[in-house]
Amino acid sequence: MEAERHVLVVFPHPDDEAFSSSGTIKLFTQSGVPVTYLCGTLGQMGRNLGNPLFANRETLPEVRKKELLDACKVMGIKDLRMLGLHDKTLEFEDEEYLADIVHEALIELNPSLVLTFYPEHGVHPDHDAMSNAVAIAVKRLPEQDRPTVYGKAILKNSVELIGEPDVTIDIRSVAEEKLKAIKAHKSQTSGWVELMEKQLKENAPEIEDWLYRETFWTYKV
């Protein structure tokens, strides 16, 4: 990995960071690189309420807040900023307003790298709204001051549209922490993650590939 000055992570929902980039984040925090995470919402509209059920629509925001804090502890993130936006409404927010929030963080922190979804390749409208805000905010900076942006593209045909990812990070040394970060989001992942663990024990190659490598596309602003 490149030596970084400060890494800014921008995702809309608790658990986006765990699935997409928790191994990479852990490698950075382990090496002493400061990481700041802007998490847009508490995912309060999430359909999963635990398996077996242990949350309800009223308790879910607090449940997910605690899960996010626990996941950040696993990843070593000490600067978590919960933006208090409302889940599943980000696509309706003024994009300049969202960009203002990210821009303010860019000015304050001067990160050398931003991790987010790849704009227009996030599947979920909230994913695309936040990554679009990152693109606008970074573009406001003078070209020489712009951080590198690693985008996570998750459309089924992303490779067909934008090519293979140009960044592959070996996270084998922190794979256990990645799994712990995902498991911290218990209301969203219980049941599913146990199946992943079973397949891992059976040495299923597709699970090993998912757990031992994280890939990104450099987004040119």
Side-chain angles (χ1 to χ4, degrees):
M1 292 197 308
E2 297 289 330
E4 300 294 347
R5 180 175 60 246
H6 195 130
V7 176
L8 178 64
V9 180
V10 184
F11 290 112
H13 310 118
D15 76 12
D16 289 337
E17 82 296 328
F19 284 106
S20 68
S21 47
S22 52
T24 301
I25 291 169
K26 183 66 180 181
L27 289 174
F28 281 129
T29 61
Q30 268 188 347
S31 62
V33 177
V35 175
T36 297
Y37 179 17
L38 304 185
C39 187
T41 78
L42 287 178
Q44 55 268 55
M45 297 301 289
R47 285 179 293 181
N48 295 332
L49 300 171
N51 181 20
L53 202 70
F54 64 86
N56 58 49
R57 192 54 63 196
E58 289 187 355
T59 62
L60 189 60
E62 282 303 312
V63 167
R64 297 203 69 180
K65 180 178 179 179
K66 182 180 184 308
E67 291 173 347
L68 176 60
L69 290 167
D70 290 345
C72 285
K73 190 173 181 180
V74 171
M75 292 180 284
I77 296 176
K78 296 177 180 175
D79 186 11
L80 166 65
R81 304 182 186 189
M82 292 178 269
L83 302 183
L85 300 167
H86 201 278
D87 190 19
K88 292 192 176 178
T89 67
L90 301 189
E91 62 179 311
F92 306 112
E93 293 280 0
D94 182 344
E95 63 179 15
E96 294 296 332
Y97 168 69
L98 295 179
D100 286 347
I101 296 171
V102 179
H103 183 253
E104 186 175 331
L106 292 174
I107 296 299
E108 175 194 345
L109 304 168
N110 189 25
S112 51
L113 177 67
V114 179
L115 302 179
T116 188
F117 286 108
Y118 195 97
E120 308 302 326
H121 285 255
V123 176
H124 190 295
D126 282 356
H127 296 176
D128 287 336
M130 287 303 289
S131 58
N132 185 50
V134 169
I136 294 172
V138 171
K139 197 170 185 178
R140 290 179 185 174
L141 299 175
E143 195 166 346
Q144 68 274 14
D145 296 336
R146 294 174 185 169
T148 300
V149 178
Y150 285 175
K152 190 73 178 179
I154 57 174
L155 289 179
K156 286 184 178 177
N157 62 340
S158 285
V159 170
E160 182 182 324
L161 294 172
I162 57 176
E164 297 285 345
D166 62 319
V167 178
T168 299
I169 297 176
D170 184 341
I171 62 162
R172 182 179 293 262
S173 66
V174 294
E176 187 176 335
E177 282 80 6
K178 180 182 178 77
L179 206 50
K180 285 180 181 176
I182 292 172
K183 290 174 76 171
H185 296 284
K186 186 178 176 183
S187 67
Q188 307 302 300
T189 62
S190 55
W192 175 87
V193 76
E194 286 77 9
L195 175 62
M196 297 297 107
E197 287 180 311
K198 179 175 180 292
Q199 291 181 328
L200 188 62
K201 285 179 182 175
E202 294 168 352
N203 298 316
E206 63 274 20
I207 299 301
E208 287 193 11
D209 187 62
W210 171 79
L211 193 59
Y212 295 155
R213 280 174 286 279
E214 288 178 345
T215 56
F216 302 92
W217 285 254
T218 302
Y219 182 75
K220 305 293 184 185
V221 180

